[in-house]
Amino acid sequence: VVTVENKDGAAQIVSHLIEVHARRRIVFLRGPERQEDSAWRERGYREALELHGLGFDPDLIAYGGFARETGAQAVRDVLERGVGFDAVFSGDDEAALGALSALQEAGRSVPEEVSVVGFDDLPFAPFLTPALTTVRAPTEQVGREAVRQLLLVMHGEAAELLTLLPTQVILRH
């Protein structure tokens, strides 16, 4: 298995929201059910809340589905339910884009009133307004490392059972 350190990246960005921006009610837009990246990112979210003494609130979990429109609808649903929140951690940048759109439609100011952060650092992230703070996941490096491991196996050598590549929080606006 070659993958990225999803849990650590998620915990770091949620901790950033808590420590630097004093956010306490952070919506998590989870990805698809039974999708490993999504599960690890949710673990990181929960661990950061616990580390900072913030209780887990199931009302702050919504299905973002790693998709723009699904992320937008998830934020609309949270707003319609009247759930108070001051930040959104999206499990990916596509759903974060949808969250930004829904917040704009609702007249909520980003980042002044609600912070929005994502995961992946997709090419459009720096060009959004405001520019998206996110976690950079080295997806191209995952592919290169997987090929390297495959070549080892093809040549009769032992491959690593698990390779976790580091992620990095990319601070923007």
Side-chain angles (χ1 to χ4, degrees):
V1 174
V2 180
T3 190
V4 300
E5 182 45 84
N6 287 292
K7 184 178 70 130
D8 185 55
Q12 285 181 33
I13 203 161
V14 172
S15 290
H16 173 80
L17 288 170
I18 296 166
E19 295 168 3
V20 176
H21 300 286
R23 301 307 190 190
R24 297 290 179 265
R25 303 269 306 154
I26 304 167
V27 169
F28 174 59
L29 299 182
R30 67 168 40 129
E33 293 287 327
R34 291 184 223 99
Q35 205 272 2
E36 190 172 1
D37 290 341
S38 177
W40 283 109
R41 291 171 192 180
E42 184 168 345
R43 278 190 181 174
Y45 165 81
R46 288 176 183 241
E47 285 185 11
L49 294 178
E50 185 178 326
L51 176 69
H52 293 88
L54 300 176
F56 174 75
D57 183 349
D59 286 338
L60 295 173
I61 303 294
Y63 179 67
F66 290 174
R68 184 177 311 170
E69 186 50 43
T70 309
Q73 190 57 52
V75 171
R76 286 184 203 111
D77 292 345
V78 171
L79 289 166
E80 287 174 15
R81 288 183 311 178
V83 175
F85 63 96
D86 54 13
V88 175
F89 165 46
S90 175
D92 79 310
D93 290 349
E94 284 287 339
L97 182 57
L100 287 169
S101 175
L103 289 166
Q104 182 181 27
E105 290 168 10
R108 304 286 296 269
S109 175
V110 177
E112 295 79 13
E113 190 178 349
V114 179
S115 298
V116 176
V117 298
F119 203 108
D120 289 328
D121 196 25
L122 294 179
F124 64 75
F127 302 106
L128 297 175
T129 303
L132 185 65
T133 290
T134 186
V135 176
R136 180 172 292 151
T139 52
E140 288 182 20
Q141 188 179 350
V142 168
R144 284 192 300 273
E145 181 61 22
V147 169
R148 189 181 78 74
Q149 294 289 332
L150 179 59
L151 289 172
L152 286 173
V153 172
M154 290 172 63
H155 289 99
E157 298 176 43
E160 295 176 37
L161 293 178
L162 174 64
T163 301
L164 280 176
L165 299 175
T167 54
Q168 176 187 9
V169 173
I170 304 298
L171 300 176
R172 294 195 176 100
H173 193 72

